[in-house]
């Protein structure tokens, strides 16, 4: 059904640790993985699935590690990749950084986790908060804490333990919208969408029942209210704590939240958004002598709002040298290892327009390696504002002990995949 | 903790770093000995440290199996961490020390009764992982208890353990009644237990397709749907994947399941979403299209599919491969979502290529302008593979969206002007296709193409260019010069180019006979005398003969109007597509191959199928009528067990199938033509205008018969003409067809006797039957139907017995067959169960067809591919056979086999032993590779067969034997 065995390899393909779950694939098969991967890379045919005879390797890369699952069946590939990413998530929460050294430093816990995360190729409990209740890193604490299976493991509510207590009951709600834009070299917007995410930091005692109200147009249409601005969410994804069938039937977002930080939901909005920071660029390349870059950035949002930490990243040829910059505001810096000019503007008020000029020399002997046409990318963050206009209308918190709890809401709009193609 | 740390510091040997990596550092000699001592220490902590060191050594790949007894001695401990480590050690080494593993059994059994559920679960989980037969027996009792444990954590672990045990000893599991207990767990109160029980049952059912384990009924389905709302994300996937195997009774049930599955589309885990999509795509088939809900469901599917594209790249890749299938099956779902498939600069190459593929599929008149602008952008990127595909995509857009053709062509011309070598070559290849689709429309660009002639170094581009020159020879003033320039290096060209060049020059000759006589003679002699490629030689001879006997006919054949190429060139074949839709999210959907093609021992051909539409009279839409008609008269896609066969046949609706397959080929003409090639034909060739040397005649004699497929496609339209030519040239001599045998004796057929055989003629499989009426009354109303079979063989048309069959009359019938029928593995593989009906009764019989009728004409593999494939197929799939008493030499054998579409790719002679490397391809695209060894003077041949589906080997061997001995 899914993985026969899971391997963690270093960059050279050496097995750091592995776990054989089903025993139907020879563990030595993993030796073929790295040579095949390298061969595919050379041929430019990298693929997340590599096969060798009847064995299939499904792999991901994380920092200096490869996580590889083997199988010889018609496995559920999406499950395997989701699971591999879940391993990364769990290990990262356990060891802060997941890399070669953290695996070696913690191999006992890694074995324990691998044993608990998957059984016979079936993923089991993968919630790191729950796992931390009975698989702890400090050996000595074990005997006391581990005498019982946390009921959470098999509970219908498998993401929150009972008996959580806070002096002050609060929940923080972050509404973060990321703008993805793809603009063609001639300035036409090819595609744009908003990916929103609602994150919670829950500090609530007991087993609270929460209900979140948004200005969701479908909900408003359903209930016959249509006052004020509403938002159509194209596709909504929820944390497993949200009762999906309830949402499906009456658009109510009701749930028992996980403790601490979590992403409650994400949504996508396909409406055409005006790129919040508009870039016009002229890049002139004079072979064998120089490159001249002129970039104009314009804030296309409300005057009251301010974009913070704006970074405009402009690609330059890899063999460019002797940079010279002139900016109307902010700082420009050449980052040769990434072949970029990064223009930073700490604070960018709406409606304003700024200019940056850069000048590079080019060697007289031309680089004969063809270079791609990387786009200009932009990073920014605009607080107290959502492009879509989505709003948290209420957050109801009900717990049987009857405590009063306060919800705090924060809105941020930021850049997502924000690309503007250039004509050079 | 503090105490442990202190101890470590005291012992000093570990330094100050408090991590496990210290365990990896001891590499002294005598290490095993030291560890042994430490393992047997009285101090608990020391023991634990020692076990950790052992595990560390194991992790880095050192062999510490010698410590087995010492480690096992540490097993009895109340320290959970230590216990886990010992268990881990056991899992790794028990198999190599089965006898000593028994030592551990007692502790396992004891641990299964421990008051701590974590330990009980750990014990039962680990025991299942120790794949030692002797231990398995002891596992049964503890497992039985754990399956009924009060703690759900233990029960869910035990449920999985049943699957483990079944994998080791299936019989034992059945005898012990564990399967029933497992089925009971589907009703467990705890959703996690339900999910694991479902996973375990599915796993067992998958490896034993006939076990009938998952007899899903509405009650269990209801339980599963309830558990779906409550279990973890992974549990939801198990349940959804299991649901996907169910076939609802009617559209109402189908709708109600869909309604309960739809909320899963909002799950954050991509795998849950894809599995839900699989269930919905499958059950949708049963919904009537005029139902409002059907439209609602279609609308609901698009957004989650689009959102999958913001997942991690590997998941995006899986999603894209699946979207590719979904778009082919139900194009309406994503038709407005073109933009999301636009390629981003930082997408990994595998994502880029897939997006491109989907863009082409979604291209329509409405969005073509945008698509073209994007494709042009991509064509100037640097990644060669991506650029090539982008250029090709432009060509495909032209073919697909007629209104855009002109713009596509001008875009391609712009790209040719870039002079980037591989861009130019790709552009020429696709322009050739555009010419095929829109003849006499864009020929003005030929001049530009000709300018780039010299830069073409890839065979495909050269062949395309040569085709263009030949096809439009009358408009290109210097066509003869251009073609002549290619001719100089004729022998260095690839076969593809050689064949095109031959055809192009013949075309040129037919168009401008006066100036090019010399050229055509030159190419004909190059092809026939100096080449050892049979395809080339045969084509050369056929042209030669045609030209010499009847230039008018030659013109009709060679310059015949070509059939237009279709819009979508690389659509997945409908039956395969249906099967792949049933496998959404799995590797099969990623590879676009059925699981049987890459899973070893997948028990052959248990193909999944979509349920037929039981909608209100309306069947599936037009693009796949072929498959719909093939599948709709079959009962819904529950996997039939062998026992169902009789019922299956009895329920057959014997009205002739509505499909109109290809018309029956002109059998009489064929048989007439089946004469030798050397007869009158050769004389006329030699006496012809062109003349020929005697050496050439000999060459002709030795040349293996041409199979129809080696005609270029355009010629096939004129095939009949060709066969009429002097009655000399005819069918290949080779194809061996077994003699007719009696299938239905008159005794059983109430007077009707049927004998028959199978043959493959001109690429069409035929069932040739002799019907004899031995009864006293007239027989009428004949009809025929097949049961499902291994290769989906089905009648391509009704059985044509037009006149009533009077007593003592004999009639010969040829029934053309196709291979798009429903598939089920038969035993033997080539068994076919047939029902024949007449006015008297329905009769059933079974017969076996030679697998060679399934060998297709394009079964010749490229040498390189052959080599790579041979290496790629695991040795386990190789089977060896001997053919005794065979007195042919290797060349004769080779030509004989070629008649049955077994193609010789290479021949090697080592120590007087000839090795022939051969390939053949079955109608379902399974390749079989063969190595035939022939020792001079030894009548016993050895044959090795390699195939990804090794179960066909036996049948293939029988074919070899039959062909070579007859």
């Amino acid at each position: 059904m899914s993985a026969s065995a899971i391997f963690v390899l270093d960059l050279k393909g050496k097995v750091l640790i592995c776990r054989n779950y089903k025993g139907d694939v020879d563990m030595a098969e993993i030796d073929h993985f790295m040579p095949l991967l390298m061969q595919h890379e050379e041929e430019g045919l990298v693929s997340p699935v590599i096969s060798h005879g009847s064995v299939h390797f499904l792999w991901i890369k994380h920092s200096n590690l490869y996580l590889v699952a083997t199988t010889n069946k018609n496995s559920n590939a999406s499950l395997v990749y989701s699971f591999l990413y879940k391993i990364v998530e769990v290990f990262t929460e356990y060891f802060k950084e997941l890399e070669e050294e953290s695996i070696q430093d913690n191999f006992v816990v890694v074995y324990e986790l691998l044993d608990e995360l998957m059984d016979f190729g079936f993923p089991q409990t993968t919630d790191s908060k729950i796992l931390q209740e009975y698989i702890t890193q400090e050996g000595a604490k074990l005997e006391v804490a581990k005498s019982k299976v946390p009921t959470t493991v098999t509970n219908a509510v498998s993401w929150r333990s009972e008996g959580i207590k806070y002096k002050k009951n609060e929940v923080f709600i972050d509404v973060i919208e990321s703008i993805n834009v793809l603009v063609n070299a001639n300035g036409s917007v090819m595609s744009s969408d908003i990916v929103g995410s609602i994150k919670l930091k829950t500090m609530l005692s007991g087993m609270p029942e929460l209900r979140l109200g948004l200005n969701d147009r479908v909900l408003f249409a359903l209930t016959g209210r249509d006052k004020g601005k509403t938002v159509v969410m194209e596709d909504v994804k929820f944390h497993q704590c949200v009762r999906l069938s309830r949402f499906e039937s009456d658009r109510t977002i009701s749930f028992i939240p996980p403790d601490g930080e979590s992403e409650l939901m994400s949504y996508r909005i396909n409406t055409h958004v005006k790129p919040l920071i508009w870039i016009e660029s002229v890049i002139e390349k004079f072979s064998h002598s120089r490159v001249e870059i002129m970039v104009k950035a314009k804030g296309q949002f409300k005057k009251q709002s301010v974009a913070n930490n704006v970074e405009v990243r402009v690609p330059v040829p890899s063999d460019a040298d002797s940079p010279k910059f002139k900016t109307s505001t902010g700082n420009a810096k050449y980052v040769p290892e990434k072949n970029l000019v990064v223009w930073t503007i700490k604070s960018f008020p709406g409606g304003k327009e700024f200019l940056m000029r850069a000048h590079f020399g080019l060697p007289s002997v031309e680089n004969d390696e063809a270079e791609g046409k990387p786009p200009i990318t932009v990073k920014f963050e605009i607080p107290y504002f959502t492009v879509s206009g989505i709003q948290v209308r209420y957050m109801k918190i009900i717990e049987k002990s009857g405590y009063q709890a306060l919800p705090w809401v924060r809105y941020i709009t930021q850049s997502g995949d924000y690309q503007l193609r250039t004509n050079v | 903790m503090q105490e442990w740390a202190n101890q470590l510091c005291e012992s000093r040997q570990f330094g100050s770093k408090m991590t496990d990596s210290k365990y990896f550092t001891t590499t002294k000699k005598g290490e095993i000995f030291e560890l042994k001592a430490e393992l047997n220490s009285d101090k608990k902590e020391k023991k634990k440290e020692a076990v950790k060191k052992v595990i560390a050594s194991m992790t880095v790949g050192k062999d510490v199996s010698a410590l087995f007894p010492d480690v096992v001695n540490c097993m009895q401990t109340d320290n959970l961490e230590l216990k886990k480590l010992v268990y881990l050690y056991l899992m790794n080494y028990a198999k190599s020390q089965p006898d000593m593993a028994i030592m551990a059994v007692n502790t396992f059994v004891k641990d299964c009764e421990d008051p701590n559920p974590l330990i009980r679960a750990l014990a039962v989980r680990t025991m299942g992982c120790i794949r030692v037969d002797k231990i398995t027996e002891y596992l049964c009792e503890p497992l039985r208890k754990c399956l009924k444990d009060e703690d759900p954590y233990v029960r869910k672990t035990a449920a999985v353990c049943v699957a483990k045990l079944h994998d080791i000893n299936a019989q034992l599991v059945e005898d012990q009644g564990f399967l029933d207990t497992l089925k009971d767990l589907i009703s467990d109160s705890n959703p996690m237990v339900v999910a694991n029980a479902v996973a375990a049952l599915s796993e067992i059912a998958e490896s034993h397709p006939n076990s009938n384990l998952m007899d899903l009924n509405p009650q269990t389905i209801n339980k599963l749907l309830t558990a779906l709302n409550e279990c973890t994300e992974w549990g939801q996937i198990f349940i959804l994947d299991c649901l996907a195997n169910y076939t609802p009774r009617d559209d109402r049930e189908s709708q109600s399941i869909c309604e309960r599955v739809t909320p899963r589309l909002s799950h954050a885990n991509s795998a849950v979403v894809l599995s839900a999509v699989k269930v919905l795509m499958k059950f949708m088939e049963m919904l009537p299209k005029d139902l409002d809900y059907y439209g609602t469901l279609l609308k609901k599917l698009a957004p989650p599919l689009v959102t999958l594209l913001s997942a991690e790249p590997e998941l995006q890749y899986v999603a894209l491969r699946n979207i590719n299938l979904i778009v082919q099956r139900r194009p309406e779902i994503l038709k407005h979502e073109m933009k999301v498939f636009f390629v981003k600069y930082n997408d990994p190459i595998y994502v880029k290529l897939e997006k491109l593929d989907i863009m082409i599929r979604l291209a329509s008149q409405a969005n073509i302008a945008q698509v073209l602008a994007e494709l042009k952008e991509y064509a100037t990127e640097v990644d060669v593979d991506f650029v090539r595909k982008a250029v090709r995509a432009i060509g495909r857009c032209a073919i697909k969206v007629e209104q855009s053709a002109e713009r596509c062509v001008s875009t391609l011309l712009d790209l040719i002007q870039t002079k980037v070598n591989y861009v130019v070559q790709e552009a020429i290849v696709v322009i050739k296709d555009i010419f095929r689709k829109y003849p006499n429309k864009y020929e003005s660009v030929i001049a530009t193409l000709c300018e780039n002639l010299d830069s073409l170094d890839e065979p495909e581009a050269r062949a395309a260019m040569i085709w263009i020159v030949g096809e439009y020879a009358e408009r290109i003033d210097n066509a003869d010069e251009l073609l002549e320039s290619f001719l100089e290096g004729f022998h260095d060209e690839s076969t593809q180019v050689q064949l095109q060049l031959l055809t192009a020059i013949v075309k040129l000759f037919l168009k401008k006979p006066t100036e090019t006589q010399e050229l055509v003679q030159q190419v004909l002699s190059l092809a026939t005398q100096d080449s050892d490629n049979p395809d080339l030689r045969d084509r050369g001879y056929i042209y030669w003969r045609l030209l010499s006997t009847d230039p008018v006919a030659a013109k009709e054949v060679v310059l015949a109007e070509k059939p237009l190429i279709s819009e979508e060139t690389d659509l997945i074949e409908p039956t395969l597509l249906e099967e792949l839709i049933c496998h959404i999210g799995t590797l099969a959907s990623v590879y676009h191959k059925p699981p049987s093609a890459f899973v070893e021992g997948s028990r052959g051909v248990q193909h999944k199928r979509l349920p037929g539409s039981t909608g209100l009279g309306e069947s599936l839409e037009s693009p796949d009528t072929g498959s719909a008609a093939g599948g709709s008269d079959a009962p819904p896609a529950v996997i039939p067990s062998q026992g169902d066969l009789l019922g299956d046949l009895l329920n057959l609706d014997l009205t002739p199938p509505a499909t109109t397959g290809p018309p029956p080929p002109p059998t009489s003409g064929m048989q007439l033509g089946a004469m030798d090639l050397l007869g009158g034909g050769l004389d006329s060739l030699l006496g012809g205008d062109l003349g020929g040397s005697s050496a050439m005649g000999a060459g002709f004699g030795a040349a293996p018969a041409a199979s129809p497929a080696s005609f270029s496609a355009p010629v096939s339209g004129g095939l009949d003409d060709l066969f009429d030519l002097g009655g000399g040239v005819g069918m290949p001599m080779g194809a061996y067809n077994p003699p007719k045998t009696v299938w239905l004796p008159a005794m059983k057929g109430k007077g009707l006797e049927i004998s028959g055989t199978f043959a493959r003629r001109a690429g069409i499989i035929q069932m040739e039957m002799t019907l004899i009426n031995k009864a006293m009354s007239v027989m009428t109303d004949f009809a025929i139907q097949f049961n499902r079979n291994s290769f989906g063989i089905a009648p391509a048309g009704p059985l044509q017995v037009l006149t009533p069959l009077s007593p003592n009359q004999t009639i010969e019938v040829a029934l053309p067959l196709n291979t798009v029928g429903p598939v089920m593995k038969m035993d033997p593989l080539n068994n076919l169960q047939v029902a024949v009906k007449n006015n008297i009764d329905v009769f059933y019989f079974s017969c076996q067809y030679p697998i060679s009728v399934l060998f297709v004409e394009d079964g010749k593999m490229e040498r390189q591919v052959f080599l790579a494939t041979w290496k790629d197929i695991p040795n386990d799939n190789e089977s060896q056979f001997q053919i005794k008493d065979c007195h042919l030499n290797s060349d004769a054998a080779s030509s004989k086999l070629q008649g049955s579409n077994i193609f010789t790719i290479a021949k090697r002679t080592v120590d007087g032993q000839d090795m022939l490397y051969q390939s053949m391809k079955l109608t379902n695209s399974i390749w079989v590779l063969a190595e035939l060894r022939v020792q001079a003077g030894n009548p016993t041949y050895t044959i090795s067969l390699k195939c990804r589906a090794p179960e066909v080997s036996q049948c293939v061997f029988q074919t070899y034997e039959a062909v070579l001995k007859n």
Side-chain angles (χ1 to χ4, degrees), chain A residues 22 85 111 116 140 235 237, chain B residues 1 59 153 203 265 307 314:
Chain A
K22 294 188 69 178
Y85 277 104
Y111 274 129
E116 203 63 47
D235 186 33
K237 295 273 179 266
Chain B
M1 176 71 210
T59 305
Y153 182 75
E203 177 84 21
L265 294 174
T307 306
E314 293 81 5

Side-chain angles (χ1 to χ4, degrees), chain B residues 37-54:
Chain B
E38 286 175 37
L39 283 170
N40 291 311
S41 153
D42 298 333
K43 285 191 190 144
K44 270 189 184 173
E45 280 309 320
K46 199 152 195 183
K47 252 187 191 179
K48 192 156 119 190
E49 289 306 304
V51 175
K52 280 193 185 178
K53 276 189 229 167
V54 172

